[in-house]
Amino acid sequence: MIAIVEAARAGLLRPGNWARNVSAGVVVGVVALPLAMAFAIASGVTPAQGLYTAIIAGIAVSLFGGSRVQIAGPTGAFIVILAGVVAQFGIEGLLVATLMAGVILVAMGLARLGGVIRYIPDPVIVGFTAGIAVIIWVGQWQSFFGLPAPDAGPFYLETWRLLGSFAQLHWPTTLLGLGSLVLALYGPRIPGLAKVPGPLLAMVAATAVTVAFELPGIATIESTFGAIPRSLPTFAVPSIGFDDVMLLLPSAFTIAMLGAIESLLSAVVADGMAGTKHDANQELVGQGIANIVSPLFGGIAATGAIARTATNIRNGGNAPIAGVVHALVLVLVLLVVSPWAGKVPLASLAAILFVVAWNMSEAPRFIRMVRKAPTADAVILLITFVLTILADLVVAVNIGVILAMLQFMRRMSASVEVVEHTQSSLRHELADAGMDSLPKDVLVYSIDGPFFFGSVDSLERALSWSRQPPRFVVLRMERVPFIDATGLKRLESTIGSLRARGVQVLPVGANMAVLRKLVRAEVVSRDLPGSYFKDLSEALLYVRAQRVPNDDEAAASKVS
């Protein structure tokens, strides 16, 4: 359901509901102002592009997304990826990659892949977000402490060079950064300022100090990037060549995947706070539209922002009106306040990003997961975290997901049991078949769990007899929810191997989905007697009819 349509049907666009959403939108717009500029600068683009992104994505996602309370814009999670694309391909390459990512997101939504994103395990998500947080934090040391720019290189080398340059820190910049950090964290606790967002308070106070005291050597937005244009962005299609598409495809896919994860996580959080229910597929379409339109006006990648969405809900926002108003507030800032915005010191934005990085890291959750989660999950978390820092996000997520899948399959295969039934557990079935006891040359096994490539060894181990093999093996399959191609192949091989040894295998009780696969693979035949049985009693009746008494049984029969 499209957010604006769903809100209209729910009666949330009526005039009586506008006041609360306009109020929430203004608050969110004020919160988004410093964040949009800070994220843009950290991503390697101009602060104006961060504002353009927040404006365009804010409107697009509010109108076309799948959550009526979602607020979209540039986020911290994108910083590492976007900065890497800018460093390698330039800003034009970033615009192309963002547009491609938008197309991928729309395709994912139309293909109804919204639910698939939920299956990325928590250790992988927590690991890469914590890794990104560390990169953001270290990446802001230069602006926060006024350090000289380190030479480009791997993250660990840049970190080492920054640590070695701390003797050259700029004390006015550092003190301004520390003051901004304190205000960003504790400013709302000051009497009378409870409703002023900490990041805005830090940015305004630091700007006022810089302008009033004309502090020397303080880097500002204007001194670093030039004045912020006092105008709306213009439409321009980035130049796209086939070679560009091929080179940028991996980056575009990474942007799309991260945007999908971030936006759907934000939508889930919003549902919990507001009591709403989002449409995951429509949310991907809305995010895709935002990322297609944003680069056409100079913007960068955007996604659902958890902090801004939560702020919207806490301040009464319950309809897309709030998201649109938040964007209009940023338009007003761009047209009216942009000359003052250029005076914002980079140290204050670095302090804001320090807070963002801490919140992103979810350090208490990270530590708790390392200490209390199963060992395999903790290892996956740490591997994803380390690879995000030392390699890159794509490698980290791919390896993290692969390890999580392997661990899941290991657990699934360990949960599959092949159990041999005793005579006492089959009393009712034996009675239904008119048998007093289970013949010695008949064994009954049940398979409990999915019969897939990771679990077939359980059956083969159970059927590896050291004693004389039986004449009949009954396989109860009532508790097999599904079977895959490897399971079918190995089951067929096992049945053929046992048949060569004179053992007849009798499959019993498979559900319709499993039975269709068994028939299609010609493991069993509906028309061949003794090939398949509906239940155990029917199989035992077949065994009773097929059995030829052995010598001991024949002798006992003559005596009687």
Side-chain angles (χ1 to χ4, degrees):
M1 177 63 71
I2 300 175
I4 191 69
V5 176
E6 193 269 341
R9 290 181 178 176
L12 298 176
L13 301 185
R14 294 171 182 167
N17 195 50
W18 276 62
R20 61 186 295 177
N21 282 283
V22 170
S23 174
V26 170
V27 173
V28 176
V30 169
V31 171
L33 173 62
L35 294 176
M37 293 193 295
F39 292 146
I41 292 170
S43 299
V45 299
T46 66
Q49 288 179 280
L51 295 176
Y52 299 159
T53 306
I55 291 168
I56 295 165
I59 294 174
V61 171
S62 293
L63 296 180
F64 304 111
S67 170
R68 65 176 185 243
V69 292
Q70 180 87 283
I71 303 294
T75 66
F78 277 135
I79 288 175
V80 177
I81 302 170
L82 304 190
V85 175
V86 171
Q88 187 173 359
F89 301 103
I91 292 179
E92 187 77 7
L94 175 60
L95 299 181
V96 174
T98 302
L99 195 153
M100 291 166 59
V103 174
I104 293 171
L105 283 166
V106 171
M108 289 172 64
L110 296 178
R112 309 193 67 78
L113 296 179
V116 176
I117 304 299
R118 295 177 298 178
Y119 297 113
I120 297 178
D122 270 357
V124 177
I125 294 175
V126 174
F128 80 69
T129 52
I132 290 171
V134 171
I135 295 173
I136 293 172
W137 177 58
V138 174
Q140 294 306 305
W141 287 359
Q142 180 192 349
S143 296
F144 188 90
F145 297 106
L147 302 174
D151 295 332
F155 174 79
Y156 61 89
L157 283 180
E158 288 191 16
T159 304
W160 182 252
R161 289 165 184 159
L162 283 169
L163 288 171
S165 67
F166 263 80
Q168 305 175 54
L169 66 82
H170 187 250
W171 280 107
T173 299
T174 302
L175 293 174
L176 191 66
L178 289 171
S180 300
L181 182 61
V182 171
L183 284 175
L185 290 171
Y186 304 108
R189 300 184 185 182
I190 299 173
L193 298 177
K195 294 187 177 181
V196 180
L200 179 68
L201 185 61
M203 185 183 72
V204 171
T207 304
V209 169
T210 302
V211 172
F213 295 98
E214 297 183 356
L215 297 176
I218 300 293
T220 65
I221 289 177
E222 190 173 81
S223 67
T224 307
F225 300 98
I228 297 177
R230 197 171 180 176
S231 61
L232 294 175
T234 56
F235 179 86
V237 179
S239 59
I240 304 175
F242 182 76
D243 292 340
D244 297 328
V245 171
M246 291 294 98
L247 290 172
L248 290 167
L249 189 57
S251 299
F253 186 77
T254 304
I255 293 171
M257 289 302 298
L258 186 57
I261 294 169
E262 189 87 356
S263 65
L264 293 180
L265 284 176
S266 178
V268 169
V269 171
D271 286 346
M273 294 181 66
T276 56
K277 186 173 177 63
H278 75 281
D279 183 330
N281 297 311
Q282 184 60 43
E283 181 64 22
L284 293 182
V285 172
Q287 296 291 341
I289 293 172
N291 283 281
I292 290 172
V293 178
S294 177
L296 297 178
F297 290 90
I300 58 176
T303 186
I306 296 176
R308 276 160 275 175
T309 299
T311 301
N312 178 37
I313 296 169
R314 291 193 192 104
N315 285 275
N318 66 350
I321 300 167
V324 174
V325 170
H326 130 270
L328 295 178
V329 169
L330 294 175
V331 170
L332 188 64
V333 168
L334 195 62
L335 297 179
V336 178
V337 192
S338 57
W340 288 100
K343 307 294 183 183
V344 174
L346 298 186
S348 66
L349 296 182
I352 293 169
L353 287 177
F354 276 9
V355 177
V356 170
W358 171 257
N359 293 332
M360 274 187 66
S361 72
E362 295 187 275
R365 183 183 180 192
F366 184 97
I367 295 170
R368 185 170 61 252
M369 192 174 288
V370 170
R371 293 177 56 193
K372 298 185 177 182
T375 303
D377 290 332
V379 170
I380 291 170
L381 167 70
L382 292 173
I383 288 174
T384 306
F385 172 72
V386 171
L387 286 176
T388 301
I389 295 173
L390 299 183
D392 62 52
L393 184 63
V394 179
V395 172
V397 172
N398 286 343
I399 291 180
V401 170
I402 290 171
L403 290 175
M405 289 170 60
L406 292 174
Q407 172 63 8
F408 172 76
M409 287 186 288
R410 187 187 71 81
R411 289 172 176 168
M412 287 291 291
S413 61
S415 69
V416 176
E417 295 183 341
V418 179
V419 181
E420 182 179 351
H421 287 272
T422 62
Q423 181 167 299
S424 60
S425 66
L426 301 173
R427 289 193 304 270
H428 298 297
E429 289 86 352
L430 289 170
D432 291 341
M435 302 173 71
D436 296 327
S437 62
L438 186 68
K440 293 181 180 180
D441 58 358
V442 178
L443 294 179
V444 179
Y445 292 90
S446 66
I447 304 174
D448 294 345
F451 198 64
F452 69 111
F453 64 89
S455 62
V456 290
D457 290 340
S458 301
L459 176 62
E460 294 180 351
R461 284 195 301 269
L463 299 183
S464 299
W465 304 289
S466 58
R467 60 184 186 274
Q468 181 70 22
R471 287 185 57 203
F472 299 94
V473 170
V474 180
L475 285 182
R476 302 186 67 176
M477 304 181 71
E478 297 98 328
R479 296 183 180 178
V480 178
F482 70 86
I483 185 169
D484 72 353
T486 305
L488 288 168
K489 181 66 178 176
R490 296 286 282 274
L491 181 60
E492 180 184 21
S493 174
T494 299
I495 291 174
S497 175
L498 292 176
R499 186 181 296 121
R501 298 169 61 186
V503 180
Q504 187 173 356
V505 180
L506 312 178
V508 169
N511 64 47
M512 288 305 298
V514 172
L515 180 58
R516 279 196 294 269
K517 292 181 180 179
L518 292 173
V519 172
R520 190 181 302 120
E522 298 182 351
V523 176
V524 304
S525 172
R526 296 179 187 269
D527 302 324
L528 182 63
S531 178
Y532 170 76
F533 301 90
K534 294 180 180 178
D535 53 45
L536 180 58
S537 298
E538 184 179 302
L540 291 175
L541 285 171
Y542 175 83
V543 168
R544 181 181 178 187
Q546 294 294 315
R547 288 185 69 250
V548 176
N550 59 31
D551 293 341
D552 293 337
E553 290 172 327
S557 177
K558 289 179 180 179
V559 170
S560 64

